[in-house]
Amino acid sequence: MPMSPRTTVTALLLAAAAALAATAPAGAVTSHGLNGYVTDADTGLGLNGSSVTWNGTTSPAPQVTTDGTGRFLFTGLDPGTTGSLAVVGPAGWDRKSVGGVTLPATDLGTQNVPLHRDWATPAGGASASANDGSVPGCASAAAVDNDRATGWSASATRPADDPPALTVTLPQTIDVRQLVLDPTSACDHAAGAALGRYRVQTSGDGASWATALEGELGADARGAATMLSPAVNAGGVRYVRLQLLSAQDPASPTIDVRELQVFGVGPNQPPAGTVSAGAERNYIKGIVRLRASFTDADSSILRYLWDFDGDGRYDQATNGPAVAHVWSGPGVYHVTVGARDFRGALGTASLDVRITDPSALVEAVPQRKPLITFDPPLGIDLPTRIACASKCTFTAKMVLTARTAKRIHAKRRTAMTFKRSTVAAGLGSWTLTLPNATVKLLRKAKLKTVTVRLTASAVDRQKRRTTVHRWVKFR
Ligand SMILES: [Ca+2]
Ligand SMILES: [Ca+2]
Ligand SMILES: [Ca+2]
């Protein structure tokens, strides 16, 4: 398969073709022949209605037309022979010949052909007009007809400040990447009528113009296309003007040019879409199928990137929009899929996927408030227990009534405070005791019983709090 290994575009096309191949008719691969995709070199989109001719051993040369995906297919070609493909894109696209294509001895050969859109040709929606040239068959339209056999012949005797000029209104605003000039003489004129000095001006609005290119072509440029890449004034271009400043032979009465082509790219929007999981419930160590659904109106989508753990880094790339993943631990995972288009733009969509462990207890830890229980007082002791769903802090306070405090001459009504923590979830068990100091005061006042106000509170890690108030009588 003679494909140029030099550019990433080739690799990208291969990836796109591989993705598309999955949708090719199953029966098509059984016969000998050649297939491939004719695509837009700048957007990656398939070019429907491209004419493809195989110039090989078969006579007459077979010709086919690409389908809606840009795919073409020749069957019944001689296996192992070598030939060339002549591809003419749909109206507005360039044409290209690919030589040295050798058919495999068995199976179907593949040759993809990317074509650039020629924004200057009226067949693709441009309009063109010139200030010079009325020779039948040699008018300015012949310079933008995407046909290198025809050309525009303009007068070489115009004033220097008003040279022959061809103004092209492009069908939309683009960033110009390349201009092609074929300066070859036309209309049976001498070879020296070929375009020599030229100037290319660009404009975004048709009113203000700036020079994007200026130069001179020599005899070596005749009979061929010269590719020129403007370094300035190439962005946001809607109008292109070619000025013919001289013929290569100063004595030539005409200045001829066969073709002006304008290549470039329009605006690009990133792919937009969604991602979904194949099942409602998903479990650890089970296959979870995810599917992205993206559209992109202005370019093809080349690959999908997947972030399974929400860390912002993509963990896997796929050519197609589906992937299968296995999570080993339970949790809610923030999944993001990125769709990368032919021009490099990235669109994303996200989904939270809940992964559960089917063998885990439904409620490993009781999700409830702390419990506080008391046994009956035993003398001056009050046995106390708490139960908590997580590590818990327990506080308690005994307060004398104002009347008792006065009677026993207590300095303050609070007789006791208490604070403890459990080490983990579970039970805590302590004894709350009436302090000795209070017991002495009671004896001194000859009191055998006392009733105190007890406030006890337990709060766990989740800030769930239980508080109880009660009167406790000690004897
Ligand atoms: Ca032409
Ligand atoms: Ca796009
Ligand atoms: Ca990741």
Side-chain angles (χ1 to χ4, degrees):
M1 191 167 59
M3 292 204 59
S4 162
R6 69 193 164 84
T7 62
T8 19
V9 171
T10 305
L12 297 179
L13 277 171
L14 283 172
L20 288 165
T23 62
V29 293
T30 56
S31 72
H32 298 115
L34 185 66
N35 83 143
Y37 289 88
V38 178
T39 57
D40 183 304
D42 301 305
T43 67
L45 295 172
L47 292 180
N48 187 14
S50 303
S51 162
V52 185
T53 305
W54 171 249
N55 296 301
T57 52
T58 312
S59 183
Q63 183 179 333
V64 294
T65 303
T66 56
D67 65 14
T69 67
R71 183 172 185 261
F72 65 87
L73 171 67
F74 291 103
T75 55
L77 305 181
D78 293 334
T81 59
T82 298
S84 67
L85 274 180
V87 181
V88 179
W93 271 265
D94 199 11
R95 56 185 71 193
K96 186 188 260 185
S97 184
V98 181
V101 179
T102 300
L103 303 174
T106 60
D107 219 343
L108 201 60
T110 301
Q111 178 66 56
N112 297 317
V113 183
L115 298 180
H116 287 282
R117 180 166 182 179
D118 176 7
W119 296 92
T121 181
S127 62
S129 64
N131 61 356
D132 192 292
S134 56
V135 182
C138 302
S140 62
V144 284
D145 60 358
N146 204 356
D147 183 354
R148 302 268 297 282
T150 63
W152 171 36
S153 186
S155 172
T157 57
R158 293 181 66 86
D161 63 355
D162 184 24
L166 171 67
T167 302
V168 182
T169 304
L170 308 181
Q172 70 168 74
T173 299
I174 63 165
D175 292 337
V176 175
R177 288 184 170 172
Q178 199 168 58
L179 292 146
V180 171
L181 279 178
D182 180 347
T184 312
S185 66
C187 306
D188 297 324
H189 294 152
L195 174 64
R197 287 192 301 113
Y198 64 89
R199 181 186 297 128
V200 176
Q201 295 180 313
T202 56
S203 173
D205 57 9
S208 64
W209 294 83
T211 297
L213 282 168
E214 200 164 342
E216 182 164 11
L217 299 167
D220 59 343
R222 298 173 192 170
T226 296
M227 295 175 197
L228 305 161
S229 297
V232 294
N233 302 318
V237 172
R238 185 72 195 275
Y239 303 87
V240 176
R241 178 176 289 159
L242 171 65
Q243 294 180 326
L244 312 183
L245 304 183
S246 75
Q248 292 184 10
D249 176 1
S252 171
T254 65
I255 310 173
D256 295 359
V257 59
R258 292 273 178 114
E259 203 63 21
L260 164 70
Q261 292 179 298
V262 177
F263 299 118
V265 292
N268 182 47
Q269 296 298 319
T274 57
V275 58
S276 59
E280 283 286 308
R281 294 176 178 276
N282 297 288
Y283 302 102
I284 61 166
K285 301 185 179 89
I287 292 172
V288 179
R289 297 183 194 285
L290 301 168
R291 174 167 287 275
S293 177
F294 277 72
T295 57
D296 189 321
D298 54 30
S299 59
S300 61
I301 297 173
L302 283 189
R303 65 170 62 84
Y304 296 84
L305 305 164
W306 303 87
D307 176 10
F308 298 117
D309 53 8
D311 69 351
R313 281 198 289 271
Y314 291 113
D315 310 306
Q316 191 177 343
T318 57
N319 288 329
V323 75
H325 190 70
V326 174
W327 279 272
S328 57
V332 176
Y333 295 91
H334 189 67
V335 173
T336 297
V337 58
R340 180 83 71 189
D341 76 10
F342 191 84
R343 300 269 300 274
L346 185 74
T348 62
S350 293
L351 173 71
D352 283 338
V353 179
R354 178 180 291 277
I355 304 295
T356 53
D357 181 351
S359 65
L361 294 173
V362 175
E363 273 196 320
V365 177
Q367 301 301 306
R368 51 171 167 75
K369 292 171 76 174
L371 293 173
I372 303 174
T373 56
F374 303 100
D375 287 350
L378 197 64
I380 58 169
D381 294 333
L382 179 70
T384 305
R385 284 190 304 277
I386 65 169
C388 294
S390 62
K391 183 178 175 176
C392 215
T393 298
F394 175 74
T395 54
K397 184 166 72 170
M398 292 184 193
V399 179
L400 303 169
T401 62
R403 188 177 162 191
T404 303
K406 189 177 178 184
R407 183 161 173 191
I408 68 173
H409 305 290
K411 286 178 180 164
R412 59 183 78 86
R413 290 179 58 199
T414 299
M416 185 217 71
T417 60
F418 183 90
K419 182 174 184 178
R420 294 288 191 281
S421 289
T422 60
V423 290
L427 296 174
S429 175
W430 302 282
T431 299
L432 304 180
T433 302
L434 197 63
N436 270 334
T438 307
V439 173
K440 281 180 185 171
L441 290 175
L442 288 167
R443 282 183 184 150
K444 213 170 159 184
K446 307 230 187 301
L447 286 176
K448 291 189 174 172
T449 66
V450 65
T451 299
V452 301
R453 181 68 169 169
L454 174 71
T455 301
S457 185
V459 59
D460 70 7
R461 276 293 169 87
Q462 287 73 37
K463 304 271 187 257
R464 289 173 294 221
R465 176 185 292 275
T466 298
T467 301
V468 296
H469 303 280
R470 65 173 55 188
W471 293 102
V472 180
K473 188 174 185 180
F474 294 103
R475 308 173 179 273

